[in-house]
Amino acid sequence: MKILVVDNYAEMSRAAADIFGEVIKENPTCVLGLATGDTPIGLYDCLIDDYKTGKLDFAGVRTVNLDEYYPISPDNDQSYRYFMNEKLFDSINIDKKNTMVPDGLAKDANKFCREYEEMIDSLGGIDVQVLGVGRNGHVGFNEPEDGLYPYTHLTDLTANTIEANSRFFASEADVPKQALTMGMSSIFKARKIVVMASGKGKAEAVKTMLGGRITTSCPATLLALHNDVVLICDKDAYSLV
Ligand code: F6R
């Protein structure tokens, strides 16, 4: 794993955007693996800037998102589909048909998960995947557990994640209790993975991640098994290492 420690969130975002930019320039029909949350917003802002200044063209780019609440409507302003449209897709020249986010209204969630996994394979896999890390070391909605499901699956959210995400909802009771998420094996199909972490709140997770022990009780530690991972974190997130 390569580790890049930068001063702050803005530098972390720019460094990640430069890696994404290289992949897009090298292959204009590449597949980007995307995430939601606070961490990648700066990356998306940089990609929008690079599009507006003519450095990047998204006309042929395809995207696959890690996860989505379940059940949730794409029109709900807390859905990850809504987030992606608002934070990135509506501000670049990407064809929305080429943007895949798990369907929070899928009637048969298990069937949908199988099809999502097949869809990733049919795109030829993901060229570069961005990941944030949960305070408890979760990746996507792969929460700390004794065992993990490898591929896209429906999962229950932990109390920790429901509480952390309740800041976006009117109340904790409004947070969906389940989610559709790519599994660690789905994520490992990506040829390159960019993990980002910013702020003191992520310091414990980064310390465990780099602690040299792989355990499903901190899913982020599994990233040590992939052969092309770059961790970009700011000084605060790196402060306990
Ligand atoms: C989002 C996702 C989550 C977040 C994680 C960190 O699609 O899969 O695993 O990456 O919860 O969230 P933030 O970035 O808000 O700290």
Side-chain angles (χ1 to χ4, degrees):
M1 184 181 298
K2 282 187 220 132
I3 303 168
L4 185 60
V5 184
V6 295
D7 277 344
N8 52 44
Y9 181 85
E11 282 184 21
M12 175 189 76
S13 304
R14 180 30 73 190
D18 288 347
I19 294 173
F20 269 59
E22 270 172 37
V23 172
I24 297 166
K25 280 187 210 147
E26 207 167 283
N27 176 7
T29 61
C30 64
V31 180
L32 306 179
L34 303 179
T36 61
D38 290 335
T39 307
I41 291 177
L43 157 66
Y44 299 153
D45 286 343
C46 290
L47 293 177
I48 292 168
D49 284 349
D50 291 349
Y51 162 68
K52 289 192 171 152
T53 52
K55 289 188 204 129
L56 292 179
D57 177 9
F58 291 85
V61 169
R62 284 89 49 83
T63 67
V64 174
N65 261 76
L66 267 183
D67 46 14
E68 176 62 284
Y69 289 118
Y70 188 82
I72 201 163
S73 156
D75 303 328
N76 185 316
D77 63 6
Q78 292 310 322
S79 75
Y80 288 178
R81 161 55 74 181
Y82 193 99
F83 175 103
M84 289 310 305
N85 288 347
E86 198 187 31
K87 303 289 186 215
L88 182 65
F89 301 150
D90 287 343
S91 303
I92 56 175
N93 66 331
I94 199 161
D95 183 340
K96 286 264 178 71
K97 285 203 295 290
N98 290 336
T99 66
M100 275 58 80
V101 179
D103 180 4
L105 294 180
K107 286 207 177 71
D108 181 339
N110 291 325
K111 179 165 174 277
F112 176 82
C113 290
R114 283 195 300 278
E115 289 169 355
Y116 200 73
E117 200 68 38
E118 285 163 15
M119 179 276 297
I120 297 170
D121 291 341
S122 74
L123 292 175
I126 292 168
D127 290 294
V128 58
Q129 171 75 54
V130 64
L131 297 175
V133 181
R135 287 176 300 178
N136 63 359
H138 71 225
V139 174
F141 275 115
N142 298 282
E143 299 279 8
E145 290 198 53
D146 290 345
L148 298 173
Y149 290 98
Y151 297 107
T152 305
H153 59 282
L154 178 67
T155 187
D156 294 335
L157 303 194
T158 61
N160 183 308
T161 297
I162 292 172
E163 189 254 300
N165 292 7
S166 64
R167 68 190 193 275
F168 302 115
F169 290 83
S171 76
E172 205 166 302
D174 291 324
V175 185
K177 304 294 177 284
Q178 290 187 298
L180 304 165
T181 184
M182 280 163 56
M184 295 308 291
S185 296
S186 332
I187 292 167
F188 273 38
K189 289 180 190 171
R191 283 174 275 284
K192 183 182 240 343
I193 297 177
V194 177
V195 191
M196 302 166 80
S198 171
K200 290 241 188 268
K202 299 296 171 71
E204 198 63 52
V206 169
K207 181 183 167 200
T208 310
M209 198 178 147
L210 300 178
R213 187 166 173 268
I214 293 162
T215 166
T216 59
S217 62
C218 177
T221 61
L222 271 79
L223 294 167
L225 296 168
H226 191 281
N227 64 5
D228 191 353
V229 178
V230 53
L231 167 67
I232 310 175
C233 57
D234 63 16
K235 284 181 174 159
D236 283 344
Y238 198 70
S239 58
L240 295 178
V241 178

